[in-house]
């Protein structure tokens, strides 16, 4: 990281309302902090840093923090509205609700989340094409965990 | 049954407290968290963590389906509910049981029994526990209220059967007041608890709030661990707690303990619990209510008895016998706890959420801190404003007070307004020093001084 | 005499410890500091602070003229020397006295008496305290050394009279070895202490290091507070200490305590002190040396007795009687202390100074931390590498060990290398768990495993 | 990381409202923090924050942190080499060793510091003109406390 880059970053910060910038790349850790009053609380509840450390244990497969990089700008991430077990098909031998590349309509079921013996169908809210399926069949999911990436149509 | 893995259905300092106890017992801990708590200490300390909903408690820490799902998916043997949230929900305890998960707490029936205040009072009275003269059940009309009040004598207190936290509670000093406030109290109770049922009790003007900690195992052994003095309250919220109480002699302790245990045995209670009493200036005590869970202020009892109450809760839930009896419980020294709240005394103690930009905690001998907060932590507007408990102990009360003063002086908290100045004023008050306490102490002796000194939260 | 103001002639955690005790006693604290410690916690906590020199200790914390000047200019009543630095310098204690400043410690004569190891050993022998069979005074020639060794039997230990920290110390198993090592030890002692005087003692192969804490007031009352087990050492530096010792029965405790008190009474000792013994596998104990000051490991005694040793030091120096006697001292529970050092196990435990960029301390029940370090603090290359002490207590030893394990797991330290991994290995060693300890435990059971796991300091 | 880079970074910060910058690269950890708010400027390689709070009590009159503003670039600050009491004159009735405006030669006494009943003459090390006398007569001083500002001649 050269001086010019850092200078540029400092300038960018000065013109923004960003209070602190932290950058970690291979071998480099940069932190710039502006002089401002007390820090505001993070919005929207979602703070960075994946705190879910499960090490091969059931719950919490994909880390929500990874969400950002999974979806391109404009894409839709469908997240789990409850804690439970994710199923791609209505029954063990039935075909999956959707596959990558499928077009889905609003209200069309995408998967089932089983919670406390109840099967909850999770439906698409918008029209779109399935770009990614992020959780394997029969895996446990936590609240807010990304399940699908849809490309809006 | 030895637990291998336990889910902690709570957040904040008590979740951290429980996780530490589990780890010390070699039991894996599963945390649950809301989206607002993703970075919280209890999540970091746990072996596994499951997000159960968005920030608001109703959708996360009170979300029974998601919590039970998390418990089933992680394969836990038991759930510890902490305090607040689901800890006194008999239905939750039942759901746990029906899913084969041990609820670390009393049987659902005991929770139910003690959850209805009027019913609990009547139950205790029949078990031979002293209760305040009162209506022996709900009062359903103004006329009945007036008749009861005439019999027990004024002043009287109108209380909501489903109540708690002072809501639906009114003091009446004359029949006129009673007529007016009876309806007010009913309306408030209806709004707060969905039930307008109220009952009457004789009002004690400057009572102490003294509570007895009990432990009961599944094998019929029930003991008490002495009392906690919790008189220092603001709007029915405890602020400072201590053990032992400066007003309780060994003889009174034995009598109060025995009374508490009569109630405990009568309702088939198991696990840790607290029987709250009002204590008047003549040393008469009256059953107030029973809390069927661990209390915020449990550390002061731990400090003077040397018994780890959360560990005992877990051991009892595993089916272990206590392994000691009443004679083995020795009170040694004196302990005081203060609750550190992110609230602004200058704005009528409004919660003051924000980021803790500086946090220096006192340490050294006789100082204990229970907190889930570190420098840089966010105090979320979604949850309780209490962010830490500072506990000191020393050989005697004077030593403990001196230690608390020094500890409060050393504390540095920046980024949020706190009640530290209020606590400092309490610790330097001569009546406090002399142990002359009542539930009206803070309103009568401290609040004006706080305003007088600018009413600002310090540090 | 009630002190109004006391100067703390030390730095780091012990300075903070003493300042806290002073504040709890309502006594003003004056800190001294070097230019390297301008931002240190002990400076911030003190009511006044005086810079006494540049970073190197010899020019600041050992600079007697500047320290005495600071004491005179700030008008203190007394000086607390802590441990290390000037704490065992009889000349410093005398200078304090001659300036009308109370030295919080024993009389200069007692410091002197116990400062010379050979003299102290002879003194204790005459007072009826068991000592190892040895040379009864310095050995001045190789021939004398051989004769003494023949009489007391091999293996023998050659020790420097002025010694400490293992320098000038050699174990000889045969006459040949003794001939060679005698001269080595003399040269090393000469270089380290300016005196080549050595003496001989019978060597115990796997001894425990067990020490008795004593308190003596100015009115003739002397008591002991039981023992500390300090066998876990690396290069004669204690690493883990506990109370009580797993090897000491109540009967042995009483005998060791009485032996320690015989020595204390014989030398007219006043204030807190520690009599160190070697304990062999048959339960025989032998006087090793006496430390005429507060010890690093004093907290474990505080945790199991409930007695604040630093406060007692100050009270005794004020002339107060102890106010309790031997029968009042009750050992309750079990406490363990570990020393957290900024040192790199991968580089042969070289000191690892630096900035602590992350520092999360465990808390909750039974956990105490004594430190002068916070996140952002600098660990200076000028001073000792110990930056914190982590102390746990529980009802029994197994509980304390479990608590220490969980506490070490929770600890987060970044920015400097530490010995935490070494401590974790100790806590998980089955011999440690069983209480089978000796002064060779770490070298025999831990160091190889540390290397085997990569030899890295963790977190 | 060379000196020029660091200087440049310090300048960049000086012109910005950035309060803190932290940079970690292989083998290097740089942290720059601007003096904002109540913290006084660092002095003399010493760290800021006047830690001597005496409130009318004897020791430590002037605060070392004030030094920076007292001396212009190039001026010499004479500091106390020991803890003691500062005297401007060799005896109570004698004239002061030096006054503002005086020229002093190397080895010329500037003041006395009394420590433990011993009078220690403090001498000028360089030729210079006395610009400021920072401590009043008979005041206690701590180690390193600025006593005089000299203008080199």
């Amino acid at each position: 990281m050269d001086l010019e880059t850092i200078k540029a970053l400092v300038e960018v910060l000065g013109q923004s309302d960003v209070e602190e910038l932290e950058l970690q790349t291979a071998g480099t850790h940069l932190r710039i902090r502006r002089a401002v009053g007390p820090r505001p609380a993070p919005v929207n509840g979602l703070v960075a840093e994946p705190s879910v450390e499960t090490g091969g244990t059931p719950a919490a497969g994909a880390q929500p923090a990874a969400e950002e990089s999974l979806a391109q700008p404009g894409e839709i991430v469908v997240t789990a509205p409850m804690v439970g077990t994710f199923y791609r098909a209505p029954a063990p031998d039935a075909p999956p609700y959707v596959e990558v590349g499928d077009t889905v309509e609003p209200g069309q079921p995408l998967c089932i989340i089983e919670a406390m013996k109840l099967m909850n169908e999770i439906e698409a809210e918008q029209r779109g094409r399935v770009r990614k399926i992020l959780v394997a069949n029969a895996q446990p999911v936590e609240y807010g965990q990304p399940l699908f990436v849809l490309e809006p149509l | 049954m030895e637990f291998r893995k336990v889910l902690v259905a709570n957040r904040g300092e008590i979740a951290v407290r429980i996780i530490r106890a589990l780890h010390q017992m070699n039991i894996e801990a599963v945390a649950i968290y809301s989206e607002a708590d993703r970075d919280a200490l209890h999540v970091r300390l746990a072996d596994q963590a499951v997000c159960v909903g968005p920030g608001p408690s109703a959708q996360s820490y009170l979300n029974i389906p998601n919590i039970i799902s998390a418990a089933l998916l992680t394969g836990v043997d038991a759930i510890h509910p902490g305090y607040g949230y689901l800890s006194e929900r008999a239905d939750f305890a039942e759901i746990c049981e029906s899913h084969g998960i041990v609820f670390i707490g009393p049987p659902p029936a005991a929770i139910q029994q003690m959850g209805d205040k009027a019913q609990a009072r009547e139950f205790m009275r029949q078990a031979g526990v002293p209760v305040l003269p009162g209506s022996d059940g709900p009062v359903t009309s103004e006329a009945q209220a007036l008749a009861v009040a005439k019999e027990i004598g004024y002043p009287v207190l109108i209380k909501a059967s489903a109540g708690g936290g002072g809501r639906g509670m009114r003091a009446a000093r004359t029949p006129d007041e009673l007529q007016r406030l009876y309806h007010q109290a009913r309306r408030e109770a209806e709004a707060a608890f969905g039930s307008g049922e109220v009952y009457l009790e004789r009002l004690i003007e400057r009572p102490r709030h003294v509570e007895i900690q009990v432990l009961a195992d599944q094998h019929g052994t029930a003991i008490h661990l002495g009392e906690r003095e919790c008189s220092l309250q603001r709007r029915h919220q405890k602020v400072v707690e201590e053990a032992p109480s400066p007003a309780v002699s060994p003889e009174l302790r034995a009598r109060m303990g025995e009374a508490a245990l009569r109630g405990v045995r009568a309702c088939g209670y198991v696990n840790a619990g607290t029987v709250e009493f009002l204590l008047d200036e003549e040393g008469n005590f009256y059953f107030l209510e029973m809390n069927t869970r661990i209390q915020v202020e449990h550390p002061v009892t731990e400090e003077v008895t040397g018994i780890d109450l959360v560990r005992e809760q877990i051991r009892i839930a595993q089916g272990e016998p206590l392994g000691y009896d009443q004679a083995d419980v020795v009170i040694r020294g004196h302990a005081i706890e203060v609750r550190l709240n992110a609230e602004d005394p200058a704005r009528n103690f409004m919660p003051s959420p924000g980021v803790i930009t500086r946090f220096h905690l006192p340490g050294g001998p006789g100082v204990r801190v229970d907190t889930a907060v570190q420098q840089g932590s966010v105090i979320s507007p979604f949850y309780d404003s209490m962010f830490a408990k500072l506990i000191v102990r020393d050989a005697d009360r004077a030593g403990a007070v001196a230690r608390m003063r020094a500890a409060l002086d050393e504390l540095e908290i920046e980024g949020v307004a706190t009640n530290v100045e209020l606590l400092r004023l309490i610790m330097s008050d001569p009546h406090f020093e002399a142990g002359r306490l009542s539930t009206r102490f803070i309103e009568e002796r401290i609040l004006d001084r706080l305003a007088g000194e600018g009413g600002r939260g310090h540090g």
Side-chain angles (χ1 to χ4, degrees), chain A, chain B:
Chain A
M1 176 160 304
D2 61 10
L3 180 61
E4 282 314 304
T5 313
I6 299 175
K7 271 171 78 173
L9 281 172
V10 167
E11 269 167 40
V12 167
L13 244 68
Q15 289 153 18
S16 75
D17 63 347
V18 165
E19 184 193 337
E20 190 167 348
L21 180 147
E22 202 157 0
L23 177 65
Q24 181 129 31
T25 57
T28 305
H29 182 191
L30 173 71
R31 183 165 158 259
I32 307 176
R33 190 181 148 81
R34 282 211 309 156
V36 288
R39 276 164 35 121
V43 192
N44 212 5
L46 277 166
V47 194
E49 201 157 283
S51 8
V52 182
E53 297 171 343
T54 43
T57 43
Q63 287 160 352
E67 181 178 347
E68 204 82 57
S69 58
L70 284 174
Q72 302 297 318
E75 291 184 332
I76 304 156
V77 177
V78 178
T79 60
M82 67 190 69
V83 180
T85 305
F86 171 88
Y87 290 108
R88 290 192 51 200
D93 298 327
Y97 285 111
V98 293
E99 294 284 6
V100 170
D102 286 1
T103 299
V104 296
E105 301 296 331
Q108 181 178 335
L110 298 170
C111 64
I112 276 179
I113 296 182
E114 180 197 341
M116 298 175 73
K117 313 281 171 207
L118 288 176
M119 301 296 169
N120 305 279
E121 276 192 347
I122 310 303
E123 300 171 350
E125 292 182 358
Q126 285 180 256
R127 184 154 191 270
R129 178 172 295 123
V130 178
R131 292 252 311 142
K132 293 180 190 170
I133 301 173
L134 302 167
V135 180
N137 192 50
Q139 287 303 300
V141 293
E142 63 178 349
Y143 175 87
Q145 183 171 337
L147 306 175
F148 300 93
V149 176
L150 305 185
E151 180 189 342
L153 292 177
Chain B
M1 158 184 210
E2 291 236 329
F3 299 152
R4 287 171 312 99
K5 200 193 265 194
V6 170
L7 184 141
V8 181
N10 217 303
R11 65 178 301 283
E13 68 87 18
I14 193 64
V16 168
R17 170 76 185 84
I18 297 163
I19 291 168
R20 284 174 175 153
L22 291 169
H23 282 169
Q24 287 162 16
M25 299 173 78
N26 240 335
I27 299 171
E28 276 187 74
V30 177
I32 60 165
Y33 63 100
S34 75
E35 289 181 331
D37 275 342
R38 204 170 279 280
D39 278 349
L41 185 61
H42 78 281
V43 176
R44 273 213 343 259
L45 292 186
D47 302 287
Q48 269 179 276
V50 182
C51 183
V52 294
S57 295
Q59 296 168 64
S60 47
Y61 295 106
L62 289 167
N63 187 328
I64 294 181
N66 277 359
I67 293 171
I68 295 287
S69 287
L72 295 173
L73 290 173
T74 54
V76 299
D77 303 305
I79 293 182
H80 195 306
Y83 53 69
Y85 292 130
L86 300 171
S87 61
E88 293 185 286
R89 289 269 298 268
D91 58 340
F92 180 67
E94 272 167 2
I95 295 170
C96 286
E97 276 188 14
S98 72
H99 284 87
I101 299 166
V102 175
F103 175 82
I104 301 180
I111 300 177
Q112 186 79 54
Q113 186 82 263
M114 295 298 136
D116 180 290
K117 302 304 163 195
Q119 193 188 327
R121 181 178 175 285
E122 181 54 21
F123 181 90
M124 286 297 188
R125 195 182 64 76
Q126 288 179 16
V129 181
V131 298
L132 279 171
S135 57
D136 291 348
V139 170
T140 51
S141 72
E142 190 187 302
Q144 190 195 349
L146 288 166
V148 168
K150 193 170 177 188
E151 190 192 318
I152 63 178
Y154 287 90
V156 297
L157 197 61
I158 315 164
K159 294 170 82 173
S161 290
R167 281 177 301 182
M169 199 186 281
R170 290 288 185 282
R173 284 174 177 74
T174 62
D176 279 1
E177 269 192 3
L178 179 58
Q179 277 178 306
R180 185 162 49 84
L181 296 175
Y182 170 73
H183 299 287
Q184 256 189 36
R186 285 189 68 97
R187 274 196 304 278
E188 191 170 305
E190 177 71 40
F193 311 112
S195 155
E197 193 177 285
V198 298
Y199 62 102
L200 286 198
E201 262 178 12
R202 172 85 204 229
L203 172 72
I204 298 178
E205 286 281 5
R206 269 184 192 73
R208 287 171 185 263
H209 175 120
V210 175
E211 60 189 28
I212 299 287
Q213 174 71 51
V214 298
L215 283 178
D217 67 18
Q218 297 180 19
H219 311 278
T221 301
I223 61 168
H224 72 85
L225 305 185
E227 80 286 358
R228 291 184 289 262
E229 160 99 47
C230 310
S231 298
L232 298 203
Q233 307 184 355
R234 203 191 62 80
R235 304 212 168 163
H236 303 282
Q237 295 292 317
K238 295 167 187 167
V239 176
V240 177
E241 300 103 345
E242 56 185 301
S245 162
V248 174
S249 64
E251 180 271 331
L252 178 56
R253 177 172 307 127
R255 279 198 292 127
M256 293 182 77
E258 250 324 301
L261 290 176
R262 273 197 295 280
V264 161
R265 290 193 193 100
C267 73
Y269 198 85
V270 172
N271 215 298
T274 298
V275 184
E276 300 190 331
F277 293 102
L278 286 186
L279 178 66
D280 72 16
E281 292 179 351
E282 285 77 44
N284 302 305
F285 57 91
Y286 307 97
F287 173 77
L288 196 61
E289 64 178 63
M290 179 161 187
N291 293 132
T292 56
R293 51 165 167 86
I294 194 78
Q295 306 263 97
V296 175
E297 61 271 23
H298 75 276
V300 292
T301 299
E302 296 183 323
E303 294 301 315
V304 298
T305 61
I307 292 170
D308 182 328
L309 286 170
V310 174
R311 185 164 60 200
E312 295 308 282
Q313 287 193 292
I314 299 166
R315 284 184 56 232
I316 290 169
Q318 287 187 144
E320 291 182 49
L322 270 184
Y324 48 88
D325 59 26
Q326 194 64 56
D328 297 318
V329 177
V330 180
I331 311 289
R332 170 155 136 176
H334 197 96
I336 303 176
E337 171 182 289
V338 298
R339 302 188 186 193
L340 298 175
N341 298 333
E343 58 187 22
D344 193 345
R347 296 184 195 172
N348 198 24
F349 295 92
M350 279 273 287
S352 168
V355 174
I356 300 215
T357 53
R358 181 167 177 73
F359 197 39
H360 169 68
L361 292 172
V367 174
R368 164 178 170 185
V369 182
D370 277 50
T371 185
V373 158
Q374 303 171 292
Q375 196 159 305
S377 287
V378 178
I379 298 201
S380 165
F382 292 122
Y383 313 113
D384 197 87
S385 63
M386 188 186 82
F387 63 92
K389 305 186 307 201
L390 175 57
I391 303 113
V392 299
R393 74 168 193 290
D394 203 351
D396 54 29
R397 188 171 189 272
V401 173
R403 193 157 268 174
M404 182 60 87
R405 275 186 206 143
L408 288 173
D409 279 347
E410 192 178 332
L411 201 59
E412 294 174 24
I413 304 166
E414 288 169 20
V416 297
T418 72
N419 64 336
V420 170
E421 192 57 34
L422 173 80
L423 300 171
R424 287 203 179 108
L425 288 175
I426 293 170
M427 290 300 140
S428 62
D429 182 278
H431 282 208
F432 177 78
E433 210 162 347
R436 290 205 298 275
L437 311 176
S438 85
T439 55
R440 290 173 62 188
F441 177 93
I442 289 182
E443 99 197 49
E444 289 180 349
R445 297 194 53 87
I446 303 295
L447 291 184
D448 284 354
R449 287 175 62 202
L450 192 63
E453 305 202 0
R456 287 171 295 102
H458 184 294

